[in-house]
Each structure stands twice: as C-alpha cells, then as structure tokens.
Amino acid sequence: MNEKWRDLIVTMVYVKQELMKLDMDGIWPHHLPEVAASDEALMKTEAYLGFRINQDYREFLKMANGWKGFLQTIDLFGTQEFSGSPMMQYAQLLLDSVDDSVIKSTGFPREALFPIAATKYDKDLFVMTRPTSHAPGVVIWFAGEEVDRYTNFTEYFLAMIEYNRQLVKDIQEGNQDY
C-alpha cells in the first residue's frame, strides 16, 4: 500500500466532507474516490493509450481509480475514462479547442498532452504531458488559457486539496466569489 497516496486521499476526503457539509444548496457534486484500479485495468488502459501512465499518477490510480467532483464539477479521470469514454471524448474536444497560440505558449506540442480531468459545465481541463515529451508528467490547467502548471501529479493533487480548502474557508467566511 502506498502510504503517501493513502494519506493524501484521506486528506482530500476530509476536506471534501467539510465542503459537502457547507454546500447547503448542493452547488457541487460530492463523491468519494473510485475504488482502486487493478493492475489488469492499468495494463489495458496503457495498451489502449499506447504509452505507460506516469508513475506518480499510476500510483494514485492504484489507490483511487478516478474521482468525480474532484474540484467543484471537475472529474479526475480513472482507467474507465481513458478507454474512449464519452467524457474522454469530450475532454479531447476541449483540448482540441484550446487556441494554437495558447498551446504553443506551454512549450509542448498538442500531441504531447493528454487529458486527465475535465468538466462538462465549464471549460476547465487538466492535461498531463506524455512520457515522450521533453518534460514527462507535467500537469497543465487550461480554462481558455493556461491557468496553472504543476511539475508532477503529486503537486497537482496537493494544489487541488488547497483549492478545496479555500472553498471551505470562503463559504465559512460568507465569501460569494467561489
């Protein structure tokens, strides 16, 4: 069992539970993470994708095979999304619609990116760089433009914990700008 991922997932569950208690109007979906991906599911997914999933993300998937409502309405993908699911098709359309100048400014060609999280309710899209890129495993957040960048999946996950914590704080303080 990967203790790092167990601890990070437990932390996110705790923060998401606090957010759920405060979300009296049911603005966002609230879910627990999906059950761990099997080695077989990971191997099938990697065969479908044509590359090995970044080790950091892979270790997460072995503990939690995706997470609906990971950040507001954004779903973090598991193996079930990668094999041509409607959500992955939609995420790929989002990626394809990102302006060429925005893609160019990332320093990565479009084909070096693959979606790992998205929402159907907005234009938020998270992509990871493929293992063949000059910097494998980087996570980039797009919402029409590049919002943020994370050097690896762990950094991305930690940032999402903090975004969720900030939502909790904003609601507790009556801030309506969430």
Side-chain angles (χ1 to χ4, degrees):
M1 178 177 277
N2 187 322
E3 289 183 33
K4 172 185 94 171
W5 282 112
R6 182 198 63 210
D7 293 348
L8 290 174
I9 291 165
V10 167
T11 299
M12 180 63 106
V13 166
Y14 173 75
V15 173
K16 295 290 291 173
Q17 286 176 333
E18 289 301 306
L19 184 58
M20 182 177 67
K21 289 178 200 172
L22 295 168
D23 183 15
M24 303 301 281
D25 296 326
I27 297 170
W28 302 296
H30 301 283
H31 300 275
L32 292 171
E34 299 297 323
V35 174
S38 66
D39 288 333
E40 180 182 352
L42 285 163
M43 289 187 303
K44 283 182 180 179
T45 298
E46 291 169 337
Y48 181 85
L49 292 172
F51 59 85
R52 186 165 168 85
I53 296 171
N54 171 274
Q55 189 62 33
D56 204 23
Y57 188 23
R58 196 174 204 282
E59 290 300 317
F60 165 78
L61 292 171
K62 289 170 89 173
M63 297 292 294
N65 193 13
W67 199 324
K68 290 178 177 55
F70 184 61
L71 175 65
Q72 298 176 345
T73 59
I74 298 167
D75 295 342
L76 177 58
F77 298 161
T79 57
Q80 62 278 8
E81 281 80 29
F82 287 116
S83 300
S85 72
M87 190 60 184
M88 179 54 86
Q89 291 170 5
Y90 179 76
Q92 189 61 53
L93 283 173
L94 282 177
L95 177 56
D96 292 345
S97 71
V98 174
D99 191 81
D100 288 339
S101 64
V102 173
I103 295 293
K104 186 175 181 179
S105 72
T106 68
F108 295 97
R110 193 179 302 268
E111 57 275 3
L113 309 173
F114 72 100
I116 64 164
T119 178
K120 286 195 171 186
Y121 300 99
D122 206 345
K123 55 187 175 181
D124 290 289
L125 171 69
F126 293 85
V127 298
M128 180 177 279
T129 56
R130 295 175 186 258
T132 55
S133 75
H134 64 84
V138 172
V139 177
I140 302 172
W141 181 356
F142 292 113
E145 61 187 11
E146 184 174 330
V147 175
D148 212 340
R149 183 181 297 217
Y150 311 94
T151 57
N152 56 50
F153 187 77
T154 298
E155 184 181 302
Y156 160 71
F157 196 93
L158 289 167
M160 296 306 104
I161 290 172
E162 290 309 311
Y163 274 106
N164 278 292
R165 280 186 175 140
Q166 187 62 50
L167 283 171
V168 168
K169 183 179 176 188
D170 288 347
I171 294 170
Q172 288 171 334
E173 294 175 354
N175 181 351
Q176 298 302 310
D177 294 332
Y178 46 83

